Amino acid sequence: MTIAADLRILYRLAFAPVRGTTHAERLESFYHGQATGYDDFRKRLLHGREQLFSRLPTPKDGVWIDMGAGTGSNLEFLGDRVNALGEIYLVDLAPSLLKVARERITQKGWKNVVTVTADATRFAPPDTLADVITFSYSLTMIPDWFAAIEQAWHLLRPGGTIGIVDFYVARKHPEAGSREALLVHAPLLAHLVRR
Ligand SMILES: C[S@@+](CC[C@H](N)C(=O)[O-])C[C@H]1O[C@@H](n2cnc3c(N)ncnc32)[C@H](O)[C@@H]1O
């Protein structure tokens, strides 16, 4: 990563106008100019991703869905465990980031990984439930993140795990008793296991 590349991304983050009338259009408008430099730049900002991905299970022939997967770089934290899984879905609304993910899939020779342009609040894989569903710094970008968690819970097989890493996720006015569960400090690492 060169200083010029860093400056280009900083410029886009700070000054480039974000256009679009839908969430998907605004995401693509935000990301399309930074997709190629995304991984290097975010490596220094988005902490806890390796810890999360290395702790989660990779059941043999299992199904993993990464919601808001971006460039799919987090899969690299699984190393060879990627190959144990049956199907991996990288779901995102920004085509320019998923293009980088597809280049990674080709370069790594992953045969069980596909990208899907879809909204995390609505995506469901064809004819299967999931063993693991991850949200890595994506929940805080999803306007209705409650709906995203509900959808993930709905898609999860009994015994399956939802893994989350993010900055700070809290209701503005949490109910008594919910505060400890919802009020967390960056980076949040959470595992929810469906019984
Ligand atoms: C900060 S990036 C994180 C990307 C990647 N998970 C990582 O750890 O580097 C947030 C991602 O969430 C995606 N995203 C935001 N809202 C989404 C939604 N409703 N459905 C699917 N993806 C969404 C964005 O396009 C973006 O790729």
Side-chain angles (χ1 to χ4, degrees):
M1 169 63 66
T2 63
I3 290 176
D6 272 3
L7 287 175
R8 254 196 312 277
I9 293 209
L10 280 170
Y11 169 79
R12 294 209 64 88
L13 288 174
F15 302 114
V18 174
R19 298 202 163 86
T21 53
T22 66
H23 180 52
E25 286 170 1
R26 285 190 291 273
L27 285 173
E28 182 57 13
S29 159
F30 178 67
Y31 280 119
H32 82 271
Q34 23 170 331
T36 49
Y38 178 94
D39 287 336
D40 277 334
F41 196 82
R42 298 313 199 280
K43 208 180 322 188
R44 288 163 280 163
L45 290 179
L46 306 182
H47 301 290
R49 295 182 294 173
E50 181 166 7
Q51 288 92 320
L52 178 73
F53 276 68
S54 55
R55 282 179 204 173
L56 291 171
T58 44
K60 185 164 166 24
D61 298 325
V63 175
W64 184 310
I65 306 172
D66 193 17
M67 298 288 201
T71 63
S73 67
N74 293 326
L75 274 192
E76 297 204 20
F77 296 132
L78 298 181
D80 289 343
R81 295 195 300 140
V82 166
N83 301 316
L85 292 158
E87 297 162 42
I88 304 175
Y89 296 90
L90 303 180
V91 178
D92 207 285
L93 277 172
S96 55
L97 296 181
L98 289 179
K99 178 170 177 282
V100 176
R102 281 193 296 280
E103 286 161 7
R104 187 187 313 281
I105 291 168
T106 304
Q107 191 248 326
K108 293 280 174 190
W110 292 329
K111 302 290 179 226
N112 52 349
V113 187
V114 292
T115 63
V116 187
T117 307
D119 193 312
T121 62
R122 288 193 285 273
F123 171 74
D127 307 322
T128 183
L129 292 174
D131 297 278
V132 182
I133 302 179
T134 40
F135 293 88
S136 166
Y137 288 93
S138 52
L139 266 192
T140 44
M141 285 198 86
I142 299 175
D144 190 352
W145 62 266
F146 284 83
I149 292 283
E150 274 168 24
Q151 177 67 0
W153 192 255
H154 176 69
L155 295 176
L156 204 61
R157 216 187 284 291
T161 306
I162 296 177
I164 301 165
V165 59
D166 217 305
F167 295 110
Y168 179 97
V169 183
R171 288 178 201 242
K172 200 166 183 187
H173 302 291
E175 289 168 16
S178 302
R179 192 174 177 82
E180 294 75 13
L182 296 169
L183 189 64
V184 289
H185 296 282
L188 156 71
L189 276 181
H191 302 179
L192 311 172
V193 179
R194 180 160 197 166
R195 298 286 172 209

